Amino acid sequence: MAMLQQSPSAHGINLPLNNLVEVTTNNSSNPTTVNEGAPSATNFTSSSSEDDGLISSSPTTSISSAGDAPLASTKEKIQSTSTSNLLPLIADNFIGSITDERLSEQSNLLVNDFNESLSKNSKITMLSNYNISPSGNEHGQFLVIDLGGSTLRIAVIKIDEASENDKFSSDRSSRIHILQEESWIIDNNFKIIDYNFFKFIGSKISEIISKSDFNEKETINTGISWSFPLETTNYNNGKIVHVSKGYTISDEIYDKDLKTILETTLLKEFNLSIDIKAILNDSLAVYAAGSFLDKNMKLALVLGTGTNLCCSLNANRDLIHHQKLLPDCEKILFNVELSLFGQAFIKQFTNKYDSKIDSRFNQVIDLHFKTFMTDDPITNTILQPLELTTSGRYLPELTRLVLVDLINRGDIFNNLSSKDLNSIMTKPYDGVQGKLICAVDETNDYQEIKSLLEEYYGWDEDLIQVSDILTLKRVIELILIRGAFIVSISIVAIIKLLQQHNNDEYSSKVINIGYVGSVMKHFHNYRNLIKTFVNENKDIKQLGGVKVDFKLVEHSSIIGPAIGAAYYS
């Protein structure tokens, strides 16, 4: 098989922070110090930059001093072999501003935003929830209801009692058993949350219970994973006032308590008595499951179609608005709603491709509102800076938008017809698939990539050139490097927040982050890049040898609610 020649890169996960070489620009015979991996805009005149509409990270180019050098994080073999004239400028706009110094600066700005949300009582971020800190003694059998964006899942989970040996183990996964699990796709035409919707859920619960060893005459302890924000009134109560992902709320359900509605519906329609012990959203479910399975787990990260974080903070009245504090709670579990943060990095790291996804990314215009405090008062819509630059819905679309420019310039896929390229050129969010960019990024096998392109687009492999593959891989890599860097900013910032609020000393020398989501699970290079950016950051190194690692928390949306229900039983 033909293999792409591999070279040192960010994907090698050994990132030197100041690996510099000398190159000569077109405008001067004097050598200028730039980063070995990150291409500069020096091959382009100012008029070229204006014609392409790309926004440079500085008034001229992204060339930095040695003290502020971009991270050596690209594949110079791929870069030098590609025949694209536009690609170096695109590279500069995606990764030219990436430095460890900026990671620290941006994480400090993000900590400030976290604290402002906490202290000024943002209604859309840093949403407080009753804490779940499993001791390891949780056990029992539980019904779990998981309502996602397009799927209803119902399961029966059994948690074994802890044995004497379990008390000395940090891994409790062997105690979790999924006895039953079934799921149903929710059609878009059925995404109206009304009484009939809860009757539908009740009918599926009745089916599951009839096949289980639950005693139908006894009250069944239940946990819920609910994919939409609730106005939490207790650890097992919350008002239904917000939905997304194509759902709407009927007037008969709006502002009603989820626990009351579901318990009443089950009893009235199916003569079943359930007791909802805990209601969690997706990030809280990851946290609950992860912190039970691994006592070193400090954070929960969701990074798939969207992105979010969850953390536990001390209930400090001097730092947190009184309306975010919960009665009789020493610690509070915060649903960060991470996607809404990141406003500070817009001018530093975004470009015209981001503006095509959301025009408010236009770097010339200062935002007229704080994304993490309120929705846009002009459009009544939210802006999600972090999600739009890092998550599985937008990484493929960014790739497609860059490819459209390269195709129009004749820098890629020149042997293919307009009919062949129609999907990429004309189908936003469908023209390039996440699975494709993941597969292309994860392999250096030339023939495998040709086969992938034939599979996805029906192209004749003989029409795909080596330069096409090199350019495609480079585009994907640039977008993933920037995305990983922005996720890293978030993780470093949240660790700093834990220090400020919890005085964490990290005696274990490891900060495990539980994660779920297709991007974190399948994009191995992306995940490893995030870990390297974080662990190589100077602020993290100052914690005294602490290292961040990631652990997949499989089935968290059903295990987490079971742990929550056990914790509060």
Side-chain angles (χ1 to χ4, degrees):
M1 291 185 179
M3 300 292 289
L4 291 174
Q5 190 171 9
Q6 194 163 16
S7 58
S9 73
H11 293 357
I13 313 308
N14 185 18
L15 282 169
L17 301 184
N18 289 291
N19 185 17
L20 304 177
V21 296
E22 289 187 342
V23 299
T24 303
T25 71
N26 287 346
N27 300 324
S28 170
S29 59
N30 297 323
T32 305
T33 302
V34 298
N35 179 280
E36 179 180 12
S40 71
T42 53
N43 289 330
F44 296 87
T45 63
S46 59
S47 61
S48 172
S49 178
E50 291 170 1
D51 288 344
D52 289 314
L54 291 169
I55 304 167
S56 297
S57 55
S58 64
T60 53
T61 74
S62 70
I63 295 176
S64 309
S65 66
D68 195 31
L71 296 170
S73 56
T74 59
K75 295 182 178 178
E76 64 267 27
K77 292 290 185 183
I78 289 179
Q79 174 194 339
S80 61
T81 308
S82 171
T83 59
S84 171
N85 292 320
L86 180 60
L87 193 56
L89 184 56
I90 293 170
D92 182 63
N93 278 265
F94 274 100
I95 66 172
S97 296
I98 290 179
T99 72
D100 188 56
E101 185 65 34
R102 287 198 177 102
L103 197 162
S104 294
E105 291 171 357
Q106 289 289 326
S107 65
N108 288 335
L109 292 173
L110 189 50
V111 171
N112 292 340
D113 290 347
F114 289 156
N115 279 318
E116 182 174 352
S117 173
L118 288 166
S119 63
K120 294 186 178 180
N121 194 29
S122 167
K123 300 295 186 182
I124 59 173
T125 58
M126 286 296 180
L127 306 177
S128 52
N129 298 266
Y130 284 80
N131 195 57
I132 298 174
S133 297
S135 65
N137 294 321
E138 293 77 14
H139 64 279
Q141 186 165 307
F142 303 91
L143 175 72
V144 172
I145 304 158
D146 169 31
L147 180 65
S150 59
T151 305
L152 170 68
R153 186 157 46 156
I154 299 174
V156 178
I157 305 293
K158 182 181 179 183
I159 307 169
D160 292 338
E161 288 191 59
S163 67
E164 197 63 34
N165 290 335
D166 290 329
K167 296 178 181 179
F168 303 99
S169 173
S170 61
D171 184 358
R172 303 172 181 136
S173 57
S174 62
R175 291 171 52 196
I176 304 286
H177 308 281
I178 302 174
L179 302 183
Q180 286 177 260
E181 179 188 0
E182 291 189 39
S183 60
W184 298 266
I185 299 297
I186 300 173
D187 187 84
N188 285 328
N189 297 325
F190 195 57
K191 289 187 174 182
I192 302 172
I193 298 181
D194 55 12
Y195 186 73
N196 284 331
F197 187 81
F198 284 100
K199 281 177 64 177
F200 163 73
I201 294 176
S203 69
K204 300 308 177 186
I205 291 172
S206 181
E207 288 179 21
I208 291 289
I209 290 176
S210 67
K211 302 173 187 176
S212 73
D213 59 0
F214 279 123
N215 185 338
E216 296 184 32
K217 296 181 179 181
E218 294 181 356
T219 299
I220 298 169
N221 289 335
T222 302
I224 294 180
S225 177
W226 187 258
S227 287
F228 317 111
L230 293 169
E231 285 194 2
T232 301
T233 54
N234 208 332
Y235 56 82
N236 59 350
N237 295 91
K239 293 182 179 180
I240 305 171
V241 292
H242 303 291
V243 289
S244 58
K245 305 172 187 176
Y247 283 84
T248 57
I249 311 172
S250 72
D251 291 340
E252 63 184 349
I253 297 299
Y254 181 80
D255 205 33
K256 299 295 192 300
D257 178 62
L258 175 59
K259 173 181 169 70
T260 302
I261 293 170
L262 197 52
E263 288 179 354
T264 302
T265 303
L266 264 291
L267 191 59
K268 178 181 177 181
E269 300 291 341
F270 304 97
N271 198 31
L272 291 172
S273 176
I274 65 170
D275 183 2
I276 297 173
K277 295 290 188 181
I279 301 174
L280 291 74
N281 82 340
D282 52 358
S283 65
L284 270 63
V286 182
Y287 186 93
S291 55
F292 175 85
L293 297 170
D294 183 344
K295 62 184 180 182
N296 292 324
M297 206 160 283
K298 298 280 187 179
L299 298 168
L301 173 66
V302 178
L303 184 50
T305 304
T307 185
N308 199 6
L309 265 171
C310 177
C311 66
S312 178
L313 300 178
N314 292 341
N316 189 326
R317 293 183 177 275
D318 295 328
L319 299 175
I320 300 173
H321 193 279
H322 68 89
Q323 290 187 5
K324 285 187 180 286
L325 298 172
L326 300 172
D328 304 318
C329 288
E330 294 183 1
K331 294 184 82 69
I332 299 172
L333 202 55
F334 282 97
N335 168 19
V336 175
E337 290 296 338
L338 183 66
S339 69
L340 296 166
F341 286 94
Q343 181 171 337
F345 70 66
I346 290 176
K347 286 197 172 183
Q348 191 74 63
F349 299 116
T350 62
N351 53 55
K352 77 162 186 177
Y353 302 107
D354 302 290
S355 296
K356 289 182 178 181
I357 285 177
D358 193 308
S359 61
R360 291 169 293 186
F361 275 121
N362 189 327
Q363 293 183 319
V364 177
I365 303 170
D366 287 322
L367 281 179
H368 49 281
F369 69 106
K370 292 186 176 180
T371 62
F372 58 91
M373 292 298 295
T374 182
D375 56 9
D376 188 335
I378 295 176
T379 64
N380 294 320
T381 59
I382 59 174
L383 174 59
Q384 300 170 288
L386 256 150
E387 184 159 306
L388 270 60
T389 52
T390 64
S391 73
R393 173 167 168 76
Y394 300 102
L395 296 173
E397 178 61 7
L398 285 167
T399 302
R400 189 192 71 83
L401 290 169
V402 174
L403 290 177
V404 167
D405 265 7
L406 292 171
I407 290 167
N408 284 333
R409 285 281 296 259
D411 288 347
I412 192 171
F413 303 139
N414 288 325
N415 289 344
L416 297 166
S417 69
S418 58
K419 181 180 179 181
D420 290 329
L421 298 170
N422 180 66
S423 180
I424 292 175
M425 298 297 289
T426 64
K427 295 183 178 179
Y429 297 97
D430 289 321
V432 175
Q433 299 294 318
K435 288 183 179 180
L436 175 63
I437 69 168
C438 178
V440 171
D441 186 63
E442 296 284 322
T443 184
N444 286 309
D445 187 323
Y446 171 83
Q447 186 57 46
E448 182 180 346
I449 294 172
K450 290 181 72 173
S451 298
L452 284 167
L453 294 173
E454 181 184 33
E455 176 187 342
Y456 275 83
Y457 298 111
W459 297 345
D460 184 342
E461 288 188 14
D462 293 336
L463 299 179
I464 303 169
Q465 304 175 81
V466 174
S467 61
D468 295 334
I469 293 176
L470 296 172
T471 300
L472 175 61
K473 280 187 67 67
R474 181 70 172 132
V475 168
I476 294 169
E477 184 185 43
L478 293 170
I479 291 165
L480 295 184
I481 289 170
R482 189 193 65 168
F485 188 79
I486 290 171
V487 175
S488 304
I489 292 170
S490 310
I491 292 173
V492 172
I494 209 80
I495 291 171
K496 290 178 178 178
L497 189 76
L498 293 178
Q499 285 183 288
Q500 292 178 8
H501 286 254
N502 299 351
N503 300 313
D504 282 352
E505 297 180 357
Y506 305 115
S507 57
S508 67
K509 297 302 178 186
V510 62
I511 302 171
N512 283 336
I513 302 175
Y515 72 86
V516 296
S518 56
V519 172
M520 281 294 287
K521 182 175 181 179
H522 298 295
F523 285 63
H524 301 91
N525 291 332
Y526 193 56
R527 186 177 71 242
N528 289 333
L529 265 173
I530 296 167
K531 186 166 73 172
T532 302
F533 278 136
V534 172
N535 286 331
E536 290 297 313
N537 176 248
K538 63 178 183 179
D539 296 342
I540 298 299
K541 287 183 174 181
Q542 288 175 359
L543 296 179
V546 168
K547 292 288 185 182
V548 164
D549 202 0
F550 292 108
K551 288 198 172 183
L552 175 63
V553 185
E554 293 208 77
H555 309 295
S556 64
S557 63
I558 54 175
I559 293 174
I563 298 297
Y567 182 79
Y568 282 113
S569 289

